[in-house]
């Protein structure tokens, strides 16, 4: 099996990689793959920001969650497969590049999906991605006898799920599926997608690498933070083009940046790789729960974009709606960090009182938006998050947990428990 830094080979046997492989880190191909998702996430965030600014945040929420699920699940499928079967040879690279093309087609279809519930381009992008992914699983089944049944189940499950999505789309386009039933059917198909890994791995679990998975999730988290920074900076640029620099613009832009710094600090307080190794049975909760963490960061980027833009323009959205567009994603991120991310670490880093009191205060602040204004509310939300981060750091200053980096030197790992991972 070639190492991460090895030169690409024409063809190698696709067998499961060792879960205790030292120095396992993201490959250049995986980093290139992530860049295609920068485009997709930016498109989803921009569309949701437009809905918020136009005063239609609630109407735009369901399309945002639907399209973001498609983006997140496509990334998930590739990430967990690569952790187990990345051969980095020519066939693997070519099939991965086909998946990248599918992501870009999906990204091109985001505006139509978000504004008009037109999922044709998204479906085509998914069909391209899933075709390549099924080919990867079929190759794994042919070349890795130990994981053949699991690989066959994955391939079959993906084919069935993709066929169901196409049937859903065709039925909706033909008018055979009532509009009131489209969202419940989407939710049912999403549950079907989430059930495929659970069903496939009942035969035998795939050999995913805990430190590699932790790094991949950390990198995608950073991409989402970057999207929030980009959304806010674009709003600042638009404001500077049309008006002079105002105190309100400086305060809200600075507050948004500090808010992202505080949330980033909370997420990366401790390494997740060792926790995933020791608690592989929690991998589904951790892996699937990150949908909410990632979606909240993307929604926060949209909210900050609108909050900055309102300093230079009169928007249709009310101050209350704009403040909640920042407060709700922030509170949701903190709550999910406490309930989904922290348990995998095996230690109570974020104290429950800090998490619960902090989120309650964040959600109460927008009620004062009509009196104090958006700038004051956003600055106050930032102050609370900074205080939460500071209290958490003070509480854990004597613990000195082992520091992790995005490229981690994986220690010798213990054998996985019998419980199966994602």
């Amino acid at each position: 099996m070639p190492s991460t830094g090895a030169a690409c080979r024409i063809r190698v046997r696709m067998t499961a990689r060792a879960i205790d492989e030292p120095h396992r880190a993201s490959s250049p191909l995986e980093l290139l793959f992530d860049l295609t998702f920068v485009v997709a996430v930016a498109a989803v965030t921009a569309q949701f920001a437009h809905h918020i600014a136009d005063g239609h945040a609630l109407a735009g929420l369901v399309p945002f969650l639907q399209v973001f699920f498609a983006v997140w699940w496509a990334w998930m499928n590739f990430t967990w497969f690569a952790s187990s079967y990345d051969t980095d040879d020519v066939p693997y690279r070519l099939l991965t590049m086909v998946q990248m093309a599918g992501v870009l087609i999906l990204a091109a279809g985001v505006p139509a999906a978000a504004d008009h519930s037109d999922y044709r381009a998204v479906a085509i992008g998914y069909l391209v991605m899933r075709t390549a992914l099924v080919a990867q699983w079929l190759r794994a089944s042919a070349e890795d006898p130990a994981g053949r049944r699991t690989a066959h189940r994955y391939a079959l499950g993906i084919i069935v799920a993709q066929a169901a999505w196409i049937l859903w789309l065709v039925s909706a386009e033909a008018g055979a599926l009532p509009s009131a039933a489209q969202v419940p059917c989407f939710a049912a198909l999403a549950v079907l997608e989430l059930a495929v890994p659970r069903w496939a791995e009942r035969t035998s679990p795939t050999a995913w690498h805990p430190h590699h998975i932790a790094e991949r999730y950390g990198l995608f988290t950073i991409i989402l933070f970057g999207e929030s920074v980009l959304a806010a900076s674009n709003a600042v640029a638009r404001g500077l083009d049309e008006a002079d620099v105002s105190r309100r613009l400086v305060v809200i832009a600075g507050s948004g940046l500090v808010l992202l710094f505080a949330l980033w600090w909370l997420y990366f307080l401790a390494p997740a790789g060792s926790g995933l190794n020791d608690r592989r049975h929690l991998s589904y909760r951790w892996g699937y729960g990150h949908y909410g963490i990632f979606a909240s960061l993307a929604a926060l980027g949209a909210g900050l974009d609108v909050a900055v833009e309102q300093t230079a323009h009169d928007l249709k959205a009310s101050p209350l709606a704009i403040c909640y567009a920042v407060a709700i994603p922030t509170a949701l991120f903190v709550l999910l960090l406490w309930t989904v991310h922290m348990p995998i670490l095996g230690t109570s880093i974020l104290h429950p009182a800090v998490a619960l009191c902090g989120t309650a205060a964040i959600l109460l602040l927008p009620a004062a938006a009509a009196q104090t204004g958006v700038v004051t509310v956003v600055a106050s939300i930032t102050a609370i998050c900074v205080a939460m981060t500071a209290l958490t750091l003070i509480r854990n200053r004597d613990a000195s947990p082992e520091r992790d980096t995005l490229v981690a030197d994986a220690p010798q790992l213990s054998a996985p428990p019998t419980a199966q991972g994602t």
Side-chain angles (χ1 to χ4, degrees), residues 37-38 41-42 45 68 216-234 255-269 290 292-302 304-305 329-330 332-334 337 341 385 389 406:
F37 282 87
V38 172
V41 172
T45 302
F68 191 84
R216 298 293 294 127
Y217 273 69
L219 288 170
F220 200 70
T221 301
I222 289 176
I223 285 174
L224 288 160
F225 275 116
E227 291 292 349
S228 295
V229 172
L230 178 62
S233 64
N234 285 341
S255 297
L257 188 60
V258 174
L259 172 62
L260 295 174
F261 288 163
L263 297 181
W264 172 89
W265 208 313
L266 284 174
Y267 184 90
F268 290 102
L269 275 171
H290 266 73
I293 292 176
F294 292 157
S296 63
L297 284 177
L300 177 59
L304 288 175
D305 185 333
T330 302
L332 182 62
F333 177 86
V334 174
L337 209 61
H341 182 59
C385 290
T389 304
L406 285 178

Side-chain angles (χ1 to χ4, degrees), residues 33-34 36-37 40 66-79 81 92 94-110 119-137 154-155 158-159 162 165-166 193:
F33 184 83
D34 284 354
T36 62
F37 282 87
Q66 289 178 320
V67 177
F68 191 84
F69 176 85
V71 173
W72 166 76
W73 191 243
W75 179 86
M76 283 272 291
N77 283 182
F78 169 79
T79 296
F81 176 87
Y92 179 86
L94 291 177
L95 286 172
T96 300
M97 290 173 182
V98 171
Q99 290 178 264
M100 294 182 201
V103 174
L104 294 177
I105 296 171
L106 184 154
V110 165
Y119 288 90
R120 286 176 293 182
V122 173
I124 293 171
Y126 239 72
L127 183 60
V128 172
M129 287 186 292
R130 305 305 276 280
T131 301
L133 182 62
V134 168
Q136 296 276 40
W137 279 114
Y154 266 111
I158 292 170
I159 290 172
Q162 186 61 38
W165 285 115
I166 294 174
E193 289 279 7

